[in-house]
Amino acid sequence: MGDQIRVAVHGAAGRMGLRIIHELQSTSNMVLAAAWEAPNHPELGSDAGKFAGVGPLGVAFSEIDPDAEVDAILDFSLPDGMRRLLDIGPKKPLITGTTGIGPQEREGLDKWSSGAPVIWSANFSLGINILKSIVEFSASRLPESFEAELFDLHHGRKLDAPSGTARLLGRAVAKGRNQDMYEVFKMAREGTKTPRKRKEIGFAALRGGDVTGEHTVFFLGEGERLELTHRATDRGIFVRGAIHCLRWLMDKEPGMYAIEDVLDLNGHE
C-alpha cells in the first residue's frame, strides 16, 4: 500500500455511498478507487464523482471486481448486496454499516475476518457509541429504583419506531443490569390500566419535521433523574465515523473488531 489508502465504496450510488464519495475528497491520505453497485444498476458506467456532486473523478460505477486494486472497502448496501460482496469481493479491510443482516451475512463476515480485519456496526456515530458505553456503565451502577426510559425523535419520513439506535441504547441498559432485553423491553404504552413494571425498559418515539436524530436515556429515581442525550444535526457524522474507523483498522490483524475497540472503551470503566 502506498501513501494513499485506495478505498472501494460498495453501495456507492446510495445515500450513504454518495456521502462517502463526497467526504473522501476532503479526507487526507484516502482516495476513491472503486464505486461498486448492484448488477443492472441504472448508473453503472457513469462517473461516480459527477453523480455525487463533486465533479468528475474518473471512477465509474461498476459491479464488484474481485481483482480491483483497492486497499480497503466501505460497505453501506443492502443485505443481498452485502452477500455478493462477501462472496466475491477482494479480502481487504472492511467497514460495513449494512443493516438488517441475518445469520448468513454474519457467517460471511466471520469468514471474511479470518483473512482481513472487519468492523460491522449499525451506527458509526462516535458520539452515540460513547453514549452507549456511558449508558451501560450508569445502568450497572445505579440501583434498580432508577427506572430506565428511552426517547427518540426523528424526521417524519423515518419508517421504524423505536429507532435502531434507541434499541441499541436499550440493549446497553439491559446489559448493564444483566437483564434479558426480550423480557424487559416495553415498546409502547397505552390505556388507563397499565402501571409501569419496576424492571421495564420503556421506549417512546416522536416523528416530525426534518430532525436528523435525537436520543435520550432517562434514569428516573426518587427525587432525582439522570438524562443522557445525543443530538445529531448532520448525517455526515456517520460517514466521518466510518472513515475514522477505517483509518484505525488499516494496520490491524485479521479479526472482528468493534467501535469500542477504536475508541479504546473495552475494559475501561
Side-chain angles (χ1 to χ4, degrees):
M1 184 174 65
D3 293 336
Q4 289 187 317
I5 299 171
R6 299 167 297 180
V7 179
V9 179
H10 182 234
R15 184 174 62 181
M16 284 294 291
L18 294 174
R19 283 180 173 268
I20 290 170
I21 293 171
H22 196 279
E23 190 71 22
L24 285 174
Q25 304 319 302
S26 59
T27 301
S28 62
N29 300 327
M30 289 191 185
V31 62
L32 179 70
W36 293 334
E37 261 301 342
N40 302 317
H41 191 281
E43 294 301 326
L44 290 180
S46 64
D47 190 282
K50 186 175 181 180
F51 192 72
V54 297
L57 295 176
V59 178
F61 290 112
S62 67
E63 296 184 36
I64 298 166
D65 180 2
D67 299 316
E69 294 184 357
V70 300
D71 302 311
I73 302 168
L74 283 168
D75 165 56
F76 285 86
S77 59
L78 297 172
D80 59 344
M82 180 194 245
R83 288 192 294 273
R84 281 194 301 273
L85 175 66
L86 296 175
D87 284 343
I88 66 175
K91 299 303 184 288
K92 302 291 184 177
L94 172 65
I95 296 286
T96 176
T98 296
T99 57
I101 67 174
Q104 183 178 350
E105 293 81 23
R106 293 184 185 278
E107 182 181 354
L109 288 173
D110 287 339
K111 290 181 179 178
W112 190 291
S113 69
S114 67
V118 175
I119 293 177
W120 173 87
S121 178
N123 191 317
F124 276 94
S125 160
L126 301 183
I128 281 290
N129 282 279
I130 289 288
L131 176 59
K132 174 187 170 187
S133 180
I134 294 171
V135 166
E136 183 179 335
F137 171 82
S138 300
S140 71
R141 294 301 192 267
L142 291 169
E144 287 188 353
S145 59
F146 280 77
E147 295 164 325
E149 296 281 312
L150 289 92
F151 162 85
D152 82 84
L153 171 63
H154 287 85
H155 55 84
R157 301 175 305 284
K158 187 169 179 59
L159 299 179
D160 57 325
S163 70
T165 298
R167 294 170 185 264
L168 175 77
L169 296 171
R171 289 193 294 272
V173 176
K175 183 178 179 181
R177 293 187 166 175
N178 295 313
Q179 294 175 312
D180 183 342
M181 66 180 185
Y182 296 107
E183 295 180 357
V184 297
F185 276 16
K186 181 71 172 180
M187 293 302 183
R189 291 193 177 91
E190 61 180 349
T192 59
K193 296 181 180 180
T194 56
R196 189 189 196 282
K197 297 179 181 178
R198 171 64 73 179
K199 293 185 178 182
E200 282 181 353
I201 300 173
F203 293 79
L206 270 66
R207 298 290 180 264
D210 62 353
V211 181
T212 299
E214 178 177 328
H215 296 86
T216 298
V217 181
F218 297 86
F219 291 100
L220 303 155
E222 294 294 331
E224 62 177 324
R225 72 175 181 264
L226 175 63
E227 300 180 13
L228 303 171
T229 298
H230 178 272
R231 295 183 179 91
T233 59
D234 174 15
R235 297 182 191 282
I237 62 174
F238 309 115
V239 171
R240 292 189 289 273
I243 290 174
H244 178 81
C245 290
L246 180 60
R247 194 181 300 279
W248 178 90
L249 195 67
M250 290 306 300
D251 62 352
K252 299 300 180 289
E253 296 295 322
M256 287 293 300
Y257 298 88
I259 297 184
E260 289 85 351
D261 299 313
V262 180
L263 298 174
D264 195 23
L265 296 175
N266 289 322
H268 291 71
E269 294 188 344

